[in-house]
Amino acid sequence: MLKKFTLLYVTLAMILGSCSQFESLQKGNFNKVKETGMELKEALPTSFFPKDLHIVSAGDSLTQGVGDSTNMGGYIPYLAEQLEKEKTIKNANFENFGVRGNRTDQLLKRLKDKNVQSSIKEADLIILTIGGNDLMKVVKENFSSLKLNHFKTEQKLFAEQLQKIFLSIRNQNQEAPIVLVGLYNPFYNWFADVKEMNQIVDEWNFQSLSIVGQDGNAYFVDIHDIFLNNEENLLYTDYFHPNDRGYQLIADRIYEILDKQVIDSMTD
C-alpha cells in the first residue's frame, strides 16, 4: 500500500511539475521565444527575400522598341538586366503596351482597355514614353511654314492629355511609382536651321516635369541631352527613333533615377 501511495505521489508530482513548466512557458519563456523570432526576422536584410517586380511599360514607339535591331522592346531588356542585378530584385517582369505612332490622346483611349487596366492595377512600377508623336504632328501639319506658335497651341493640348493619362493610371493604381521619360530632339538632322527646336523640346519637357511634380510619386527622366551632346550616332536609319546604343543609354538614364529614388521603396 505504501509503495502504491509513493508511486501515486511521484506521478502526481511529475504531472504538477510538467504543468508548472508549461505554465511558465506560457507566461514567460514562450514570449521570449516569440520575441527572439521577431528579432531575427527584423534583422534580416531585404535582399534575403528578393522580389519579383511587375512593370508596365506603355506609350509610343520608344516603348514598342522601333529601331531596336533585336526586336526585344527598345530600352526594356537593358533596364531589366540592370534591375535584376539588384540584390532585392529577383525578376523584373515587363508588360509592353507600346504602340508605334501613339500620341497622348491615343494612349488615353488605350488606358480604357480592360487588359491594360488589369495590368496597371497589379503593377509595382509604370514607365511611360509619350509626346514625341504629338510634337511630330505639329511638324507634319506645318512642314512648309513651321513657326513657334504652332508648337505652343499643341503643347497646351499635350499637357491636358498628359494630366488625364496620370489621372487614368491613378484611378487604377494609387501606389506604384510612375516614371515618365522625356522627349529628345531628333529633328536637328532635318531642321538644322530651326534653332528654336531645342527650345521647344525643353519647354515641352518642362511642362511634363510640372505634371510629374503634381503626382507625388512620379519621376521625370530627362534624355534630351543624351542625343544632343553625344558624338556617337544614336539614331536608327529613319533618323527619328533610337538605335540599339540609343536605347541602351535611355535605359541607363531610367535606371539611374530608379536606383537613386525608387528601388528601395518598391522592395521594402
Side-chain angles (χ1 to χ4, degrees):
M1 183 69 182
L2 183 59
K3 286 182 179 178
K4 288 182 180 180
F5 181 78
T6 302
L7 181 60
L8 179 63
Y9 177 80
V10 170
T11 304
L12 185 60
M14 288 174 66
I15 292 171
L16 289 174
S18 298
C19 289
S20 176
Q21 288 177 356
F22 178 74
E23 189 176 345
S24 172
L25 181 62
Q26 275 191 316
K27 290 181 179 178
N29 294 336
F30 179 75
N31 288 332
K32 287 181 180 178
V33 170
K34 192 175 179 182
E35 286 171 7
T36 303
M38 289 295 290
E39 285 170 5
L40 281 172
K41 188 176 180 181
E42 289 171 0
L44 290 172
T46 54
S47 58
F48 192 81
F49 300 105
K51 240 182 120 177
D52 286 339
L53 289 184
H54 175 209
I55 304 169
V56 169
S57 295
D60 52 27
S61 52
L62 294 192
T63 296
Q64 184 180 323
V66 176
D68 166 20
S69 67
T70 67
N71 294 316
M72 295 291 288
Y75 72 84
I76 289 175
Y78 300 108
L79 183 58
E81 183 180 0
Q82 289 173 306
L83 289 172
E84 288 172 357
K85 288 179 181 177
E86 292 283 331
K87 291 181 180 179
T88 56
I89 298 172
K90 185 177 181 182
N91 295 300
N93 302 310
F94 281 80
E95 281 195 274
N96 190 331
F97 294 104
V99 175
R100 183 174 191 166
N102 260 198
R103 301 184 306 270
T104 48
D105 59 325
Q106 293 167 318
L107 174 58
L108 192 57
K109 287 179 183 176
R110 288 200 298 117
L111 289 175
K112 296 177 183 178
D113 181 271
K114 294 202 178 295
N115 289 331
V116 177
Q117 289 182 347
S118 176
S119 293
I120 288 173
K121 277 182 184 178
E122 301 300 320
D124 298 302
L125 174 67
I126 299 153
I127 303 176
L128 303 175
T129 63
I130 198 70
N133 293 302
D134 298 69
L135 202 60
M136 190 63 173
K137 177 173 174 280
V138 183
V139 175
K140 287 180 177 179
E141 290 178 352
N142 304 279
F143 188 81
S144 59
S145 58
L146 202 56
K147 295 179 182 178
L148 200 60
N149 65 306
H150 294 141
F151 291 97
K152 292 285 186 184
T153 304
E154 194 67 28
Q155 182 183 335
K156 184 179 178 182
L157 183 59
F158 162 72
E160 291 171 358
Q161 300 284 17
L162 187 59
Q163 284 180 317
K164 290 178 182 178
I165 287 170
F166 269 74
L167 181 61
S168 177
I169 291 171
R170 285 303 179 213
N171 283 339
Q172 304 302 323
N173 190 323
Q174 294 283 333
E175 304 298 327
I178 300 174
V179 172
L180 176 64
V181 179
L183 306 178
Y184 64 94
N185 177 18
F187 305 118
Y188 61 83
N189 287 299
W190 300 349
F191 306 109
D193 56 330
V194 183
K195 297 178 182 179
E196 294 89 354
M197 192 60 73
N198 286 337
Q199 177 190 339
I200 291 163
V201 172
D202 284 337
E203 287 178 359
W204 282 47
N205 279 336
F206 185 78
Q207 187 82 66
S208 298
L209 181 61
S210 175
I211 293 167
V212 164
Q214 295 169 23
D215 180 81
N217 190 24
Y219 305 85
F220 180 76
V221 179
D222 188 2
I223 62 170
H224 189 196
D225 63 300
I226 292 175
F227 291 86
L228 283 182
N229 305 321
N230 204 305
E231 294 180 358
E232 293 180 82
N233 174 31
L234 302 179
L235 295 179
Y236 184 54
T237 54
D238 61 4
Y239 296 104
F240 184 76
H241 296 96
N243 58 20
D244 292 355
R245 179 59 177 158
Y247 278 120
Q248 185 179 23
L249 292 176
I250 290 173
D252 290 346
R253 189 63 62 85
I254 297 172
Y255 175 73
E256 185 180 336
I257 296 293
L258 294 177
D259 187 41
K260 288 180 180 177
Q261 303 183 56
V262 183
I263 290 175
D264 287 346
S265 64
M266 286 195 303
T267 56
D268 281 346

